[in-house]
Amino acid sequence: MAPPTRGARFREWMLQGLSDMAKQHPGPHAQAPHEKGQRWWRVMCLTGLDYFSTLGYQPGIAALAAGLVSPLATIVLVLVTLLGALPVYRRVAQESPHGEGSIAMLERLLSFWQGKLFVLTLLGFAATDFMITITLSAADATAHLVENPHLTSMLSGKQVTVTLILVALLGGVFLKGFSEAIGLAVFLVGIYLTLNVVVVANGLWHVLKAPHVFSDWTDALTVQHGNAFAMIGVALIVFPKLALGLSGFETGVAVMPHIEGDPDDTEEKPTGRIRGARKLLTTAAAIMSVFLITTSFITTLLIPAEAFKKGGEANGRALAYLAHQNLGTSFGSVYDLSTIAILWFAGASAMAGLLNLMPRYLPRYGMAPHWARAVRPTVIVLTLIAFLVTWIFDANVDAQGGAYATGVLVLISSAAIAVTIAARKAGQRRWTIGFAVIAAVFLYTTGANIAERPDGVKIGGCFIAGIMLVSFASRLKRAFELRVTDVVLDDVAERFVRDYMHRPLRLIANEPNSRDLAEYRDKLRQIRKDNDIPAEDDLVFVEVTVLDPSEFESVLDVRGEVLHDRYRVLSLQSSSVPNALAALLLQVRDLTGQQPHIYFEWTEGNPFAQFLRFFLFGQGEIAPVTREVLREAEPDRARRPAVHVG
């Protein structure tokens, strides 16, 4: 045998790990069957790569967006986090404990094409969330590099180039082969939070040491807003601008499969894993809430407002500014290094989230090519998109904040709606009302954020349009693909088939209507006449009932029955009539070793309209489509089941 060519080796490397289309891709977050799992607090650090890393830019963005009321608006944000997002995602962890998140909950509530379109829309916003996490985190890591006193002269004016290099390095890690090292995440998060504790403690000490700083802030608030009620009102209005501090909850649910459960946990009821996930979410939210309030307080009081603006020393790096100013260049450089590392790995966590999320839906819908289940080609596509986003936003942290917040808020709002519906279905009236109120708060927050920063929904719309376009193009291209993952015959159906071990099985495709005696008698007479079939050749009817035509892959269950004491019928349920018939014919051929025959009548109507019926509703002109599916599935004409049309 000749050795594989260089091109073949490259293709094999690119598609390494490509799973069979009949199997659901578990994604990078999936836990191998032999893997024991990790303690919840260790997995929390994996979530923290995304969640805690927002401290690198959140205080600066908050001060820039809310000004003097930033600490008060942050308190409102924390209340929304603890009383809103946290209860919602604790319920999501219970309802969807295998890492699918709130999108899977909503998918189960909706069916047919409206459900698929809704999921594709949410996937667009999820892509916005995770993709902007990659580009924004890389841009902020670049800001910390460029503003470091030792590197400013060398890197000044090269923000876009440095950010593109960081994104490329991230893509390179995944191309080489990336698996989340929880131990490294624990180390990075531990070091980063410890350094932040030092910066916050030092900042609070500076405030206590100089009481006039606090009084100057309160005096300025009074002059600007008048009284406490006006301040609270302004804080309630502007807190949506701080929504970046809500990121991380969706990631917290995505990493659930890594959490160690109880010894008696089952996949159907992983009680221990759910309990661990709830501890993870609660602890992460509590830690982040403390840091959000304290960092917003010290940065607003200790950093001049001009430093937060574009080109200012604290723009996108408020805590690093305080670390350098109050604790010296050496400590500040260590803080920069820690921040750069966790921001870069936050991008890795977001990339893993995308690779975990997209293959769960798009290939199963038939809305992605085969290679979308392989990691490396998908990484290349995502990296190129990240390059484009970085170039469009000029590697600017502030400019990407709106898009990031939009993605985060849409996902949280959808999660709040999902748990409200789940509570209502469970008959939990109080929880239904509570979750409905939370959903209303998040919908208001999302609307306010979109109204204030429409760029977020614009780029989210671009992701949605891109996903829709690629998805439907892929589905159209794969329209004639054999999509049945398995054929299961019941005892009666198997007995029908095995009767034809030494002669070909002849099937009549019948669209079930009244299923009375006259229907089968007339159909049989017509087929014999059209195809000149001798009376001594017996025939078996086959009928397909279309359930959900929007589904792409499915298991084909075949039920055998005898109607009116004389007609043998194979009944099938599927998302597509031609695909079901083609799969049955191939299964019969493999079981009997005989070439089966199937007989159709031509369908009246416009061919293009019939194709649209097939594409959207799984029906249409059945005969030629069945033949085309068989042709693609079996290139050898001698082994291909025969299709007859009269």
Side-chain angles (χ1 to χ4, degrees):
M1 181 183 294
T5 63
R6 181 178 298 179
R9 288 197 300 270
F10 177 74
R11 177 180 172 81
E12 182 181 356
W13 178 80
M14 283 292 290
L15 298 180
Q16 186 177 0
L18 182 65
S19 59
D20 185 87
M21 288 301 290
K23 300 175 182 177
Q24 179 173 318
H25 188 293
H29 284 303
Q31 181 180 316
H34 59 274
E35 191 178 332
K36 182 183 177 184
Q38 301 279 344
R39 299 290 299 275
W40 65 267
W41 58 270
R42 290 174 63 84
V43 181
M44 182 187 72
C45 294
L46 186 60
T47 306
L49 293 174
D50 179 16
Y51 196 21
F52 300 144
S53 67
T54 56
L55 291 172
Y57 45 82
Q58 169 72 12
I61 289 178
L64 194 62
L68 293 174
V69 298
S70 174
L72 300 180
T74 301
I75 291 173
V76 176
L77 177 69
V78 166
L79 291 175
V80 172
T81 298
L82 298 179
L83 302 180
L86 180 58
V88 164
Y89 277 92
R90 282 171 62 92
R91 182 62 177 257
V92 171
Q94 176 185 325
E95 299 282 345
S96 181
H98 303 297
E100 304 98 328
S102 58
I103 295 178
M105 293 177 63
L106 289 169
E107 183 192 29
R108 291 195 294 267
L109 296 171
L110 298 169
S111 61
F112 299 98
W113 282 109
Q114 62 266 33
K116 302 296 183 295
L117 293 174
F118 185 70
V119 168
L120 289 176
T121 302
L122 289 181
L123 286 176
F125 283 111
T128 304
D129 180 4
F130 286 121
M131 188 58 66
I132 300 297
T133 297
I134 294 171
T135 57
L136 187 147
S137 297
D140 197 52
T142 299
H144 283 78
L145 277 169
V146 172
E147 294 297 332
N148 186 281
H150 301 297
L151 300 173
T152 299
S153 58
M154 187 189 343
L155 299 179
S156 180
K158 300 178 181 177
Q159 285 88 339
V160 174
T161 302
V162 175
T163 303
L164 291 175
I165 291 172
L166 290 176
V167 172
L169 288 173
L170 176 65
V173 169
F174 279 86
L175 287 177
K176 183 174 177 59
F178 179 87
S179 61
E180 294 87 351
I182 292 182
L184 181 59
V186 171
F187 174 77
L188 288 175
V189 169
I191 293 294
Y192 183 67
L193 291 183
T194 300
L195 293 175
N196 274 288
V197 167
V198 174
V199 173
V200 168
N202 179 267
L204 292 174
W205 181 75
H206 272 80
V207 172
L208 292 174
K209 187 174 69 172
H212 68 87
V213 173
F214 181 78
S215 60
D216 289 347
W217 174 62
T218 55
D219 290 344
L221 270 178
T222 302
V223 170
Q224 195 173 87
H225 300 291
N227 56 60
F229 292 105
M231 297 174 198
I232 294 172
V234 172
L236 290 171
I237 293 172
V238 301
F239 97 89
K241 299 180 181 180
L242 282 60
L244 292 181
L246 289 166
S247 69
F249 281 100
E250 199 72 30
T251 310
V253 175
V255 299
M256 276 187 70
H258 280 302
I259 299 174
E260 179 184 31
D262 294 335
D264 57 348
D265 272 8
T266 63
E267 282 302 301
E268 293 75 23
K269 194 175 181 181
T271 306
R273 182 193 297 172
I274 293 172
R275 185 172 61 252
R278 288 181 160 187
K279 289 180 181 178
L280 179 157
L281 293 167
T282 303
T283 305
I287 292 172
M288 192 62 175
S289 295
V290 172
F291 274 113
L292 283 173
I293 293 173
T294 53
T295 56
S296 175
F297 181 71
I298 62 172
T299 52
T300 302
L301 268 64
L302 297 177
I303 300 177
E306 296 76 18
F308 290 113
K309 297 178 181 179
K310 185 176 181 179
E313 295 181 10
N315 182 254
R317 55 185 299 275
L319 293 177
Y321 174 91
L322 290 180
H324 280 276
Q325 177 178 278
N326 297 338
L327 294 163
T329 303
S330 297
F331 181 89
S333 296
V334 172
Y335 184 86
D336 281 339
L337 182 62
S338 174
T339 305
I340 291 165
I342 196 170
L343 283 168
W344 190 75
F345 267 79
S349 180
M351 180 76 84
L354 279 169
L355 294 173
N356 183 60
L357 189 64
M358 295 298 180
R360 290 183 181 274
Y361 298 97
L362 296 184
R364 182 158 53 85
Y365 292 172
M367 293 180 166
H370 287 274
W371 54 257
R373 291 183 184 271
V375 169
R376 290 187 177 109
T378 309
V379 167
I380 292 175
V381 172
L382 295 176
T383 302
L384 292 175
I385 294 173
F387 283 171
L388 179 63
V389 172
T390 298
W391 176 72
I392 290 173
F393 285 105
D394 200 29
N396 186 291
V397 176
D398 300 328
Q400 297 177 72
Y404 187 20
T406 299
V408 170
L409 288 170
V410 169
L411 289 180
I412 295 180
S413 298
S414 68
I417 293 170
V419 298
T420 302
I421 296 172
R424 185 174 182 274
K425 286 195 168 187
Q428 300 168 330
R429 187 170 179 272
R430 291 184 179 179
W431 279 113
T432 302
I433 295 172
F435 285 136
V437 172
I438 293 171
V441 170
F442 281 120
L443 288 172
Y444 155 73
T445 308
T446 304
N449 182 77
I450 291 173
E452 179 72 24
R453 294 178 288 185
D455 285 348
V457 77
K458 288 178 183 177
I459 192 164
C462 290
F463 276 109
I464 293 168
I467 288 176
M468 293 277 190
L469 183 63
V470 172
S471 295
F472 281 99
S474 174
R475 178 110 179 194
L476 187 63
K477 183 179 179 182
R478 298 176 62 189
F480 302 114
E481 184 179 301
L482 186 66
R483 334 170 191 160
V484 174
T485 58
D486 193 18
V487 180
V488 180
L489 286 76
D490 71 2
D491 293 339
V492 178
E494 187 168 359
R495 190 162 63 247
F496 287 174
V497 172
R498 293 197 180 278
D499 283 346
Y500 293 85
M501 297 296 288
H502 304 292
R503 55 193 172 120
L505 171 62
R506 299 182 185 276
L507 295 168
I508 297 177
N510 181 54
E511 183 176 357
N513 294 309
S514 59
R515 304 191 86 194
D516 58 12
L517 178 62
E519 177 181 335
Y520 294 101
R521 183 186 61 226
D522 295 343
K523 183 78 171 185
L524 182 60
R525 183 185 301 120
Q526 185 66 42
I527 291 295
R528 287 190 186 279
K529 178 183 176 183
D530 290 344
N531 297 276
D532 197 21
I533 300 175
E536 59 269 18
D537 286 2
D538 58 340
L539 294 97
V540 177
F541 287 90
V542 58
E543 300 175 342
V544 182
T545 301
V546 175
L547 298 177
D548 183 353
S550 65
E551 290 292 336
F552 189 76
E553 297 175 339
S554 62
V555 173
L556 186 64
D557 290 310
V558 184
R559 181 168 53 90
E561 53 188 330
V562 178
L563 297 182
H564 311 295
D565 298 323
R566 68 176 72 178
Y567 299 115
R568 287 182 292 179
V569 181
L570 294 175
S571 299
L572 294 66
Q573 290 184 332
S574 177
S575 59
S576 167
V577 176
N579 276 274
L581 294 176
L584 176 64
L585 290 167
L586 292 170
Q587 181 75 1
V588 169
R589 181 204 64 185
D590 294 340
L591 285 175
T592 65
Q594 302 287 327
Q595 183 186 36
H597 296 251
I598 188 166
Y599 297 88
F600 296 92
E601 292 183 46
W602 285 114
T603 303
E604 298 293 333
N606 182 282
F608 181 72
Q610 294 295 344
F611 175 75
L612 287 180
R613 283 189 65 210
F614 162 68
F615 182 73
L616 295 173
F617 306 113
Q619 300 181 42
E621 185 58 86
I622 306 300
V625 177
T626 303
R627 193 264 178 188
E628 182 60 21
V629 173
L630 286 169
R631 190 186 67 82
E632 289 200 6
E634 178 51 79
D636 186 354
R637 290 189 66 177
R639 301 191 69 246
R640 192 184 304 154
V643 175
H644 307 268
V645 189

